[in-house]
Amino acid sequence: LKWYLNIFENRDLRSALINTIIVSISATIFSTIIATFAAIAVSRQKKTFRELILQGNNIPILSPDIVTAVAFLLFFIALAIEPNLGTMIMAHIAICTPYAFVTIYPKVRGLDPSIIEAAQDLGATPFKTLWKVIIPQLYGTILAGAAISFTISFDDYIISSLTSGGIQNISIYLYSLTRGISPSINALSTIIMLVIGIKIIYDLIKNKNNEGEEEEWKKSMHYYLH
């Protein structure tokens, strides 16, 4: 088990892991919020404007990472901003938002507008309608968009390397190793896979329990109606 302890004893690896978590969580939160509000706003626009936004949203998704990375680097140089952890977070937010948007937008388009109108007729303010009516219906999709954003940010190397200003995340740390992958990295990978596996099992159990409760509710309603 010494290689698991070495994760916390290795200063460079520990620093890279902390930076990765900070950047990934920050990018996930901000990109998901931006994508959610953007999806709601775009869904209420005219068809021509919607199609224009959707086509524009696909540009960063289809563009090669090296092109996007160089564009960010030139952008920060033009503004005389020294690359640092903040610029890397900004770049990750920009690359994660389009993926979160394409995940959340179809669900927003499928919302029943009569429910929103009913909430407004009952006196709900726009913010209360958003928080009490719209967001609960998008909860699962928002989580899916956040998961995709976190994965993209956690795994990115090219954009991170050009916008970090020498600050290392896990990807940069791995590519900087000259003697190959150390056992500590294998231990870290095992921990990540274990966490993901536990999360998947938890979701499966939770979904089965929800299906069981729904089935019981249907049976009770059927019994009550008869």
Side-chain angles (χ1 to χ4, degrees):
L1 300 176
K2 67 177 182 179
W3 299 113
Y4 291 92
L5 296 176
N6 186 255
I7 296 174
F8 304 98
E9 295 174 354
N10 188 326
R11 181 178 298 178
D12 293 335
L13 177 56
R14 186 174 68 247
S15 176
L17 180 60
I18 292 173
N19 290 335
T20 302
I21 293 174
I22 292 173
V23 173
S24 299
I25 292 179
S26 300
T28 299
I29 293 173
F30 284 102
S31 64
T32 304
I33 293 174
I34 294 172
T36 301
F37 283 105
I40 295 172
V42 172
S43 66
R44 294 174 174 267
Q45 304 301 318
K46 295 181 180 180
K47 182 178 180 180
T48 304
F49 183 78
R50 288 203 311 269
E51 293 297 328
L52 183 64
I53 294 298
L54 292 175
Q55 294 300 324
N57 185 76
N58 291 333
I59 293 176
I61 296 177
L62 300 176
S63 298
D65 284 349
I66 186 63
V67 175
T68 306
V70 172
F72 276 120
L73 180 61
L74 295 176
F75 174 74
F76 292 132
I77 291 175
L79 297 179
I81 299 176
E82 190 72 23
N84 50 48
L85 186 65
T87 58
M88 183 161 62
I89 292 175
M90 291 172 60
H92 279 229
I93 292 172
I95 63 173
C96 292
T97 301
Y99 290 93
F101 179 84
V102 298
T103 304
I104 298 171
Y105 178 75
K107 179 65 176 180
V108 176
R109 286 287 295 165
L111 293 179
D112 187 356
S114 62
I115 298 178
I116 300 174
E117 293 173 0
Q120 294 173 344
D121 289 341
L122 292 172
T125 62
F127 177 78
K128 198 167 186 179
T129 302
L130 174 67
W131 187 252
K132 295 290 187 179
V133 178
I134 299 177
I135 297 298
Q137 296 183 79
L138 301 176
Y139 181 74
T141 309
I142 291 174
L143 289 182
I148 293 174
S149 298
F150 184 85
T151 303
I152 293 171
S153 176
F154 193 91
D155 187 52
D156 181 77
Y157 165 71
I158 297 177
I159 295 174
S160 299
S161 63
L162 292 184
T163 59
S164 63
I167 297 174
Q168 289 189 330
N169 62 2
I170 285 295
S171 299
I172 298 175
Y173 176 82
L174 291 177
Y175 277 92
S176 66
L177 294 177
T178 57
R179 298 182 180 179
I181 303 299
S182 68
S184 296
I185 299 299
N186 296 333
L188 178 61
S189 301
T190 303
I191 294 174
I192 294 173
M193 293 177 64
L194 181 63
V195 171
I196 294 173
I198 293 174
K199 179 66 168 65
I200 292 173
I201 294 173
Y202 170 78
D203 288 341
L204 287 174
I205 295 174
K206 185 178 180 180
N207 289 335
K208 285 185 178 180
N209 290 337
N210 290 339
E211 290 176 1
E213 291 176 0
E214 184 178 352
E215 195 65 29
E216 288 295 327
W217 179 81
K218 288 181 179 178
K219 288 181 179 179
S220 61
M221 287 300 296
H222 180 78
Y223 175 79
Y224 174 77
L225 291 173
H226 283 75

